Amino acid sequence: MGLICINVSLPGCSQPDNVVSSVDTLNQRIASTLNTPPATLNYTPRPEPMPAVRELKPIGEPAGMSFLISLQLGHCSAGQLIAERNSSLGRLEDGLMRYQDDLALLTALKSCAEHSDSAPIKTELEQAIADKRQQLAYDKAQGFATDKALRHALTVSNTPLSVISDSRFEPPLNALKQLTEWLQQPTADAQLANWRQQLAQSDYLPRLMRSTIEMRLKLQQLQQQLPSLTRAAGCNARGVPERASILQNVFMQFFISEVQVTLAALTTQYQQLKPVLENLADQTPQTALKLYLTELSLQGEQLTEASKAFVQPWQQLFADCGFTPGAD
């Protein structure tokens, strides 16, 4: 679908500074109409950050490679994998790439144990296979804790989106979805490196999360600081005062035509992200990360609830003043 223009009132569908700016504009317009200071809107309370690596690392130490290195495995692929693992490039691999390497090594060791040249060391190989299989849970937890690409994709950004774009949203979403599905049935030959690269190079998901959370917080703050609109509009008396009509126009022009369009676009994308975050939480070994992902998955629904709460006093205003949101 490409770019979704979210400020339809401006010529040429030009964009505001960011997708949350429409709430700030609405705030200014309401204050101007009521002749009051604008409400104080900010990104607070800040959500809990993603747990630090040190909080997520599993307890214990990974099994060393010295035992495997001591075996004579030059006759099978496991020997080459061990050599690559201990090379300078191999030691640079982190996170889930290391976990995938462990899966590949386990498969290679099983194959090597069946090789005729492995007969003298078959007992040692079978013990190594058992040890490696037992260590996979540790390796997976270590991968979740340290994977830089995954942490980047799941860390809320410091800045909101400048535009809402399906073409920018879909590649990292699909990469995260494929990675999550891989975690359910991990294989040694999946395109994990490609998915991680896509996540590492895109900041769309982190900024989508920031935009959704900031929109909710600012709508809640604006709603909480609104005076009684009916009293401020003067609709307690007979007739419809001019200020009431101006407030209605402000709501239609700046909430319905701008803020609500942004809300719809954000929640539509978050509805697609939510099941991926929930699935990823199910795969996560660490309780702290599971809780973080679960909370993150709820942000789209929480934004919808904040939007409904914001609209309620306006609905009361329209009822008290005798007109509807669609009236001229």
Side-chain angles (χ1 to χ4, degrees), residues 224-302:
Q224 292 165 1
Q225 296 180 61
L226 282 176
S228 169
L229 293 175
T230 297
R231 184 163 55 250
C235 284
N236 293 323
R238 296 182 60 182
V240 179
E242 181 181 6
R243 179 174 289 182
S245 297
I246 295 174
L247 279 173
Q248 181 197 26
N249 290 334
V250 167
F251 182 81
M252 293 300 300
Q253 182 178 357
F254 296 99
F255 182 81
I256 298 297
S257 296
E258 295 186 19
V259 175
Q260 188 165 269
V261 174
T262 304
L263 291 171
L266 287 175
T267 54
T268 295
Q269 291 191 346
Y270 225 93
Q271 285 172 353
Q272 299 174 66
L273 178 60
K274 174 182 171 65
V276 182
L277 293 174
E278 291 175 331
N279 194 1
L280 187 58
D282 289 340
Q283 307 304 317
T284 302
Q286 296 93 333
T287 300
L289 186 55
K290 189 185 295 288
L291 293 174
Y292 171 80
L293 291 172
T294 300
E295 182 63 27
L296 209 56
S297 72
L298 298 175
Q299 294 305 316
E301 295 173 356
Q302 292 178 5

Side-chain angles (χ1 to χ4, degrees), residues 7 86 93 120 126 131 162 207 216 218 247 252-253 282 287 301 321:
N7 194 341
N86 285 277
E93 290 188 348
E126 289 176 344
D131 291 343
S162 56
R207 295 181 71 179
R216 171 179 62 81
K218 287 190 172 183
L247 279 173
M252 293 300 300
Q253 182 178 357
D282 289 340
T287 300
E301 295 173 356
C321 292

Side-chain angles (χ1 to χ4, degrees), residues 108-122:
L109 288 172
K110 292 176 183 178
S111 176
C112 191
E114 301 303 319
H115 197 286
S116 58
D117 291 348
S118 297
I121 56 171
K122 188 174 179 65

Side-chain angles (χ1 to χ4, degrees), residues 146-164:
T146 61
D147 194 283
K148 295 177 182 177
L150 188 62
R151 290 188 63 84
H152 170 73
L154 299 176
T155 299
V156 178
S157 175
N158 291 326
T159 55
L161 292 165
S162 56
V163 293
I164 301 175

Side-chain angles (χ1 to χ4, degrees), residues 305-317:
E305 292 303 311
S307 174
K308 291 178 181 178
F310 179 81
V311 169
Q312 286 176 354
W314 293 89
Q315 292 174 328
Q316 187 64 49
L317 168 69

Side-chain angles (χ1 to χ4, degrees), residues 63 72 78 91 99 101 122 147 219 309:
Q72 299 299 313
R91 286 192 292 270
Y99 176 50
D101 286 348
K122 188 174 179 65
D147 194 283
L219 276 178

